[in-house]
Amino acid sequence: MNPPLRDAKPSVALYWDFENLHASLSEARLGEGSYGKPDGRFRTQEPLIEVQAIVELAASFGPIAINRAYCNWQFFGRYRDVLLQNAMELIQLFPPGASTKNGADIRLCLDAADDIARHSHIGTVVIVSGDSDFMPLAQKIRAGGRTLVGIGTRASTNRHWARSCNTFRYYEDLMEAAGVAAPPAAD
């Protein structure tokens, strides 16, 4: 018999601004601005994100109830196996034109706000992004009594976003703790 929900450990909602993290890691490897060029962005992407390390960090806060990633997945097929192994719900965002500015951010914010309003068992929200667009969401999450954990790269994380989280972890530190070698930096 399952214990009543009030006795269970609060669960975790994990939201990925997937392309944001991938773009940051790509630019660290190939040089600033390289990902934003059409030949950098609109092609099949090599896997750069250590998905498992982030999932393990999120799971350290409690059982993961939501594991949702936002991206235009047509270029990220090489992540298929690791995404399936981690039971990630993939949210497909088709760009309305050449620019996809804020599409993932808006959808992620709407879903997270809806989820924390509907699911009282969520105690921790983890957002994988370095984007300051999530600061208003951070205020809502914290006002709702939830703990907010942010994850992003050092080079692309907005310092105000990092400070708006209860805890912020830099991706590079996670990789170092997991014993994963950092990708070579651009020359």
Side-chain angles (χ1 to χ4, degrees):
M1 184 172 170
N2 291 334
L5 194 54
R6 67 181 182 278
D7 295 337
K9 184 175 183 180
S11 59
V12 175
L14 173 56
Y15 301 96
W16 301 71
D17 183 355
F18 200 85
E19 193 169 1
N20 176 280
L21 179 58
H22 180 86
S24 298
L25 295 174
S26 179
E27 291 197 352
R29 178 179 276 179
L30 302 173
E32 188 174 339
S34 61
Y35 185 78
K37 295 177 183 174
D39 62 336
R41 182 178 196 168
F42 299 112
R43 65 176 175 80
T44 302
Q45 299 295 315
E46 294 298 322
L48 299 174
I49 300 171
E50 292 293 332
V51 171
Q52 190 62 43
I54 294 173
V55 169
E56 288 173 7
L57 173 67
S60 73
F61 296 101
I64 298 174
I66 296 170
N67 186 3
R68 197 176 292 148
Y70 302 79
C71 189
N72 181 357
W73 293 104
Q74 74 186 63
F75 301 113
F76 293 86
R78 293 186 175 159
Y79 280 100
R80 179 185 181 273
D81 290 341
V82 72
L83 299 175
L84 289 171
Q85 290 167 4
N86 285 286
M88 195 175 299
E89 179 183 358
L90 306 180
I91 306 300
Q92 172 64 45
L93 299 167
F94 290 108
S99 173
T100 58
K101 183 73 178 127
N102 295 332
D105 300 0
I106 293 167
R107 178 70 190 271
L108 189 157
C109 286
L110 289 170
D111 286 354
D114 183 51
D115 290 340
I116 63 173
R118 290 182 26 216
H119 303 297
S120 61
H121 61 86
I122 295 172
T124 302
V125 175
V126 179
I127 297 178
V128 182
S129 182
D131 198 332
S132 64
D133 290 343
F134 295 111
M135 289 175 61
L137 178 61
Q139 294 164 351
K140 296 288 183 190
I141 290 168
R142 293 179 65 180
R146 281 24 184 264
T147 299
L148 175 61
V149 178
I151 301 170
T153 63
R154 286 190 192 286
S156 67
T157 294
N158 178 282
R159 64 186 165 99
H160 302 298
W161 159 241
R163 288 186 185 137
S164 70
C165 299
N166 295 94
T167 301
F168 194 89
R169 304 284 174 91
Y170 286 104
Y171 179 82
E172 296 86 349
D173 295 343
L174 289 176
M175 295 308 97
E176 186 177 308
V180 176
D187 294 329

